[in-house]
Amino acid sequence: MRVFVTGATGFIGSAVVRELLDAGHRVTGLARSDTAAAALTAAGVDVHRGDLDDPGSLREGAAGADGVVHLGFVHDFSDFAGACATDLRAIETIGAALEGTGRPLVMASGTTGLAQGTVGTEEDTVPPNSFGMVRARSENTAVALAGRGVRASAVRFPPTVHGRGDHGVLAGLIAIARQKGFSAHIGDGTNRWPSVHRSDAARLVRLALESAPAGTRLHAVDDEAVPFHAVAAVLGRHLDLPVRGVSPDEAVAHFGWLGNVAGLDVPASSALTRKWLGWEPTGPGLIEDLDEGHYFAG
């Protein structure tokens, strides 16, 4: 299969690219810079120059492919609504290029927008009028493409996709702990996060591309419910720092932009995903991966 991938040089995207190549697919990656183009070429990927804000390049890349994996996202949390609007336009553009072809589109979404305090499933949707709807519009738009002749599916990633080379949430928490002199959780830290290893997430994306039914929402979740205080404890142990709670009112001052998500209680299940696609995670769990120590090197 000829697969067009946006976000192909990212932490998850680069793992997806390797997974696709190893499975015998031919991959073309969207590149907005010379650096990204060089990285794709080195990985054995064809280069398609363009940008998420360039509908012409997205349309051309999608139209020339047998399937599309859309992982690109503008990670500008100072204008999250603007980043989500760009994502929505990208989905609409790609969807229009694939309409009526029956070809697959796999897009990246998240579990954090689901209702708090209960174990979210693939059949749950983001509550209307919630903040999570800002991002969920892209997911809903993609899934609706099933009614327009596109085999579209949404892979919901947890807040922690972990593994070597991760510069995301966990790396941010480690940097904050080092700066503040202690590893923190909010309140008693009993709020729960799901997680998945990068290799397992990449394999699920491939499986979704190859065989997910149209209109499917999938959960890239291994650990369903890791208490945040357990993560804080591992960080404190490896950094030789004390562990203590901060109040919800102190969360943003302590964690910065992560303060808006560090206190979320959003466990999630992947039981239906495993049933539908035969996906079984094999990578280390979150605590095990942290305990390997690579997050704390350097």
Side-chain angles (χ1 to χ4, degrees), residues 159-160 169 173 191-195 223-228 261-262 264 266:
T160 46
V169 170
L173 292 174
N191 61 295
R192 300 155 294 171
W193 278 14
S195 68
D223 294 316
E224 290 189 2
V226 181
F228 199 90
V261 296
L264 294 178
V266 283

Side-chain angles (χ1 to χ4, degrees), residues 35-75:
T35 300
L40 292 174
T41 299
V45 174
D46 296 329
V47 175
H48 180 76
R49 296 302 292 258
D51 192 275
L52 294 179
D53 278 318
D54 180 359
S57 68
L58 291 177
R59 190 179 304 112
E60 182 182 356
D66 299 317
V68 178
V69 174
H70 174 54
L71 302 173
F73 191 80
V74 180
H75 291 282

Side-chain angles (χ1 to χ4, degrees), residues 196-220:
V196 70
H197 191 267
R198 177 193 189 202
S199 61
D200 291 319
R203 189 166 70 260
L204 177 58
V205 170
R206 175 180 62 79
L207 291 172
L209 179 78
E210 293 172 345
S211 61
T216 308
R217 291 176 169 90
L218 303 164
H219 280 190

Side-chain angles (χ1 to χ4, degrees), residues 124-170:
D124 293 327
T125 55
V126 174
N129 302 318
S130 68
F131 177 75
M133 278 302 299
V134 175
R135 180 76 190 274
R137 290 189 184 96
S138 290
E139 177 186 297
N140 293 341
T141 298
V143 170
L145 289 169
R148 293 165 52 191
V150 181
R151 186 166 60 78
S153 60
V155 175
R156 290 171 171 167
F157 296 107
T160 46
V161 179
H162 55 90
R164 292 183 182 275
D166 177 14
H167 298 291
V169 170
L170 290 172

Side-chain angles (χ1 to χ4, degrees), residues 256-290:
W257 69 267
L258 282 171
N260 295 314
V261 296
L264 294 178
D265 184 37
V266 283
S269 166
S270 59
L272 292 176
T273 297
R274 298 177 193 224
K275 176 182 176 181
W276 292 335
L277 297 185
W279 176 70
E280 287 296 334
T282 59
L286 175 58
I287 300 302
E288 179 186 354
D289 199 17
L290 285 169

Side-chain angles (χ1 to χ4, degrees), residues 1 3 6 13 23 36 41 58 72 78 99-100 105 125 128 174 213 225 237 255 265 276 281 290 297:
M1 190 184 298
V3 187
T6 72
T41 299
L58 291 177
S78 66
E99 186 171 356
L105 164 62
T125 55
I174 290 168
R237 184 170 70 252
F255 289 106
D265 184 37
W276 292 335
L290 285 169

